[in-house]
Amino acid sequence: MKKIIAIVFIIIVTLFLTLFIINKSFALDNNVKDIKYYNNLAENENVVTILLDEKTVSRKATKKEVMEHDSKIQNIKDSNKNILKDTDLVKTGDYITINDTDYLVVLYGDVNKDGYISDIDDIMIVKNNYSGAREVDNIEKLSANLVNDDVLDNQDIARMIKIYLGLLNSNLTTKIPEGYISFEEDNGGTEEPGKDDEQQGEEHQGNTPLAVHGKLNVVGTNIVDKNGAIFQLKGVSTHGLQWFPQYVNQEAFVYMRDEWGINAVRLAMYSDPNVGYTTALHQVVDNGVEYAKNAGLYVIIDWHILSDGNPNTYKDSAIKFFKEMTEKYKDYDNVIYEICNEPNGDVQWERDIKPYAQELIREIRNIDNDAIIVVGTPTWSQDVDVVAQSPITGYDNIMYTLHFYAGTHKEYLRQKLSTALNSSLPIFVTEFGISDASGNGALDINEGNIWIDFLNQNNISWMCWNLSNNNESSALLKNTNKVTGWTNEELSEQGKWLLDALKR
Ligand code: IDC
């Protein structure tokens, strides 16, 4: 009997111990083993390799798991540069953003089982053994299925060779892990990255416009930054998101920040369903806001009244739209709401626009109590002098829109602007061009320069219309379908002028 009790006891203890150990190993073991980054590994391709443990290798790791492994990762996107959800699996062909740079994800396995993942021997085995297309197994899916179509074929091999060319040419002959770059804390900050990420008043990393200037406020006629210093936003507006959504992408935003010197983008959401407004487009705005935040840029969410002249025409959808946006972005420091692009037609300030604006501002302030709100003005946002006689009261951080097209609008419109400024009305030029008012026709560069000097002297923020390759002179791009990384030859005349204007 004693014997039996002893045996049962030992079995129970062993069972508990085993369970404890298994549990422990699950708890301690991060399924993402290692993440390494390589600059220009193949023809200018930045590559990141992710080493997964054996259990995870057959299912891949989720975005959340990868991000948890390296807190310096800013975001993870799919091959179309759409941001992944936390539960999405990270695949070869996705991108990891770190230090504001996108790294192409390449997941390899340890094909020759020597303990090194993705080394040159693994690649050679794949290359020598498999020619022609065939289905891949789970491990190979991660090892070699580089174009991510579940078939291992010459395309994959070509990609592999291409990626490895960089290594071979640079005499890094054996294991990948010798050539990687490590991202040390390089922003002098001692705080833990990723901490307080969704909190209000968050600290933004790096030296982006958003990190340096933070939350903006309106004081007098000026925008001031988190330190109270006068600050001017300068950037570009998209064309209608229903027509040119492709320019809302992470690389373009980072590129324009670094190469052009913009600090803000404007997302033009046409409000009239007859010209393309649908709620499905909200996703493009959401992407744009995230890309802007990742790039440390300010972003204007523009409810683009135009053919629908009176903002009250679609007031209900405007309220729904801004409720949704403010719920999402109330804690973002970089979001600005523009509630009616250009009221026009038989529309008056006192009778139509002001009541609309008061209602929209009330709705927005119920949720977001301090973001800057920009209000459109009569006659395609020109009559700021009229508004100056009867501005909206009772709220902080309200600005008013002035738009000009230098080919059409000249000194008389600057006079209206002066009148408004003299009455202390804060003005934001959320859209302008140097073409005529149609967005096309000859440019007036001289008048455009006069305008920019005038705006800069008065610290008035400005955003240029429009980031697209549309066949019109106000489009900034020409003869190219590229959605980022444009050369000087791929800029239109207004595009080239804008790059100069941004430097002044
Ligand atoms: C123009 C676009 C043009 C488009 C048209 C109608 O450049 O391609 O066909 O809208 O959707 C504005 C408007 C802005 C106009 C622009 C030029 O805010 O939407 O874009 N403009 O006409 N106000 C004054 C000029």
Side-chain angles (χ1 to χ4, degrees):
M1 187 63 187
K2 264 189 187 165
K3 240 185 185 173
I4 293 173
I5 291 175
I7 288 170
V8 169
F9 181 75
I10 287 168
I11 289 174
I12 288 172
V13 167
T14 320
L15 230 133
F16 268 102
L17 262 178
T18 320
L19 275 176
F20 178 76
I21 288 165
I22 289 175
N23 224 347
K24 257 279 182 284
S25 70
F26 272 127
L28 291 178
D29 240 19
N30 190 325
N31 49 11
V32 179
K33 290 293 189 193
D34 197 17
I35 302 182
K36 285 192 164 39
Y37 305 88
Y38 307 86
N39 276 340
N40 302 321
L41 195 52
E43 301 161 20
N44 294 329
E45 196 129 48
N46 298 322
V47 172
V48 48
T49 57
I50 304 176
L51 171 55
L52 305 172
D53 74 5
E54 245 173 77
K55 288 190 297 286
T56 317
V57 93
S58 52
R59 71 148 166 94
K60 303 179 188 174
T62 61
K63 172 184 175 184
K64 190 160 182 275
E65 289 167 329
V66 174
M67 302 238 350
E68 273 170 2
H69 184 87
D70 186 347
S71 60
K72 293 185 292 307
I73 295 176
Q74 291 158 316
N75 226 321
I76 306 185
K77 293 165 285 185
D78 68 16
S79 52
N80 296 319
K81 303 271 169 119
N82 294 316
I83 291 174
L84 297 187
K85 292 200 284 290
D86 278 357
T87 50
D88 286 343
L89 297 173
V90 178
K91 306 177 298 302
T92 293
D94 289 349
Y95 291 91
I96 287 184
T97 312
I98 183 164
N99 259 23
D100 295 326
T101 305
D102 284 341
Y103 285 78
L104 177 73
V105 172
V106 180
L107 293 165
Y108 294 118
D110 180 8
V111 179
N112 65 356
K113 309 257 185 308
D114 68 353
Y116 286 90
I117 195 126
S118 348
D119 66 19
I120 201 76
D121 296 332
D122 296 323
I123 301 307
M124 281 324 199
I125 288 177
V126 178
K127 180 190 176 305
N128 294 334
N129 290 354
Y130 311 123
S131 52
R134 69 162 182 77
E135 288 258 318
V136 289
D137 67 27
N138 275 342
I139 302 262
E140 288 168 346
K141 251 182 212 169
L142 297 173
S143 312
N145 175 32
L146 296 187
V147 295
N148 216 37
D149 53 5
D150 285 6
V151 173
L152 174 64
D153 56 20
N154 286 335
Q155 261 185 299
D156 298 312
I157 306 292
R159 186 89 187 256
M160 245 181 245
I161 303 289
K162 189 181 151 214
I163 289 171
Y164 273 84
L165 226 45
L167 266 187
L168 293 170
N169 289 345
S170 63
N171 288 333
L172 289 170
T173 48
T174 52
K175 318 289 184 202
I176 276 196
E178 290 166 14
Y180 71 93
I181 44 170
S182 73
F183 295 105
E184 301 301 344
E185 297 302 337
D186 58 356
N187 44 34
T190 45
E191 71 262 285
E192 266 177 65
K195 226 178 160 184
D196 286 347
D197 228 16
E198 297 300 323
Q199 303 283 310
Q200 202 159 8
E202 67 189 280
E203 289 301 315
H204 302 281
Q205 302 285 313
N207 58 358
T208 65
L210 181 59
V212 174
H213 297 283
K215 169 84 184 71
L216 305 179
N217 285 296
V218 180
V219 175
T221 58
N222 294 312
I223 292 180
V224 299
D225 71 8
K226 65 176 179 185
N227 302 314
I230 288 178
F231 183 50
Q232 208 185 349
L233 293 170
K234 297 177 183 176
V236 298
S237 174
T238 66
H239 201 293
L241 297 176
Q242 73 275 41
W243 297 309
F244 295 95
Q246 65 271 35
Y247 297 102
V248 179
N249 72 74
Q250 186 69 76
E251 283 193 348
F253 285 15
V254 170
Y255 183 82
M256 292 189 291
R257 180 198 67 194
D258 293 344
E259 303 301 321
W260 296 7
I262 66 164
N263 56 24
V265 290
R266 176 189 193 231
L267 305 170
M269 169 67 92
Y270 274 67
S271 49
D272 183 349
N274 300 312
V275 295
Y277 171 71
T278 65
T279 52
L281 283 170
H282 294 194
Q283 183 63 51
V284 183
V285 178
D286 291 339
N287 293 344
V289 171
E290 287 306 322
Y291 299 148
K293 190 182 177 204
N294 294 338
L297 294 173
Y298 294 88
V299 56
I300 300 174
I301 300 180
D302 159 39
W303 184 249
H304 203 81
I305 305 280
L306 192 60
S307 46
D308 43 345
N310 191 330
N312 294 295
T313 313
Y314 297 112
K315 188 180 77 183
D316 291 348
S317 12
I319 290 174
K320 276 196 200 124
F321 176 71
F322 283 108
K323 267 190 174 165
E324 183 185 321
M325 293 299 146
T326 45
E327 280 295 352
K328 284 185 195 148
Y329 304 124
K330 57 175 184 277
D331 295 334
Y332 283 46
D333 288 340
N334 66 326
V335 175
I336 293 169
Y337 306 107
E338 181 177 359
I339 59 176
C340 50
N341 168 50
E342 293 186 354
N344 64 85
D346 178 22
V347 179
Q348 294 171 19
W349 173 248
E350 281 302 333
R351 189 190 67 197
D352 309 296
I353 308 170
K354 193 176 181 184
Y356 166 87
Q358 284 165 325
E359 188 169 349
L360 264 285
I361 292 170
R362 192 161 57 239
E363 297 284 355
I364 291 173
R365 282 291 181 258
N366 277 339
I367 303 170
D368 185 329
N369 55 23
D370 58 0
I372 293 179
I373 301 173
V374 192
V375 182
T377 58
T379 322
W380 292 279
S381 285
Q382 294 177 54
D383 296 343
V384 287
D385 51 340
V386 172
V387 172
Q389 293 164 18
S390 172
I392 292 160
T393 54
Y395 299 97
D396 293 330
N397 291 341
I398 307 294
M399 303 186 85
Y400 300 86
T401 316
L402 178 96
H403 287 174
F404 69 85
Y405 281 76
T408 306
H409 309 117
K410 300 167 196 268
E411 183 58 28
Y412 85 95
L413 190 54
R414 281 192 295 277
Q415 285 300 330
K416 280 175 177 279
L417 175 51
S418 294
T419 305
L421 290 176
N422 289 337
S423 312
S424 300
L425 196 76
I427 304 293
F428 195 142
V429 174
T430 54
E431 185 190 301
F432 78 93
I434 60 168
S435 66
D436 66 35
S438 74
N440 208 351
L443 303 184
D444 193 334
I445 287 183
N446 184 42
E447 195 70 35
N449 290 337
I450 295 173
W451 268 108
I452 292 299
D453 288 345
F454 186 79
L455 299 182
N456 288 350
Q457 278 156 19
N458 290 286
N459 300 311
I460 296 175
S461 295
W462 49 262
M463 311 287 294
C464 187
W465 181 265
N466 67 76
L467 179 64
S468 81
N469 64 353
N470 200 20
N471 187 18
E472 57 183 348
S473 58
S474 64
L476 297 170
L477 309 171
K478 205 179 173 177
N479 299 327
T480 177
N481 289 321
K482 278 161 68 176
V483 296
T484 184
W486 309 281
T487 63
N488 204 45
E489 294 73 55
E490 290 163 337
L491 300 179
S492 68
E493 206 189 332
Q494 183 173 289
K496 289 177 186 150
W497 172 85
L498 174 66
L499 263 56
D500 281 342
L502 281 161
K503 291 196 189 90
R504 286 203 264 167

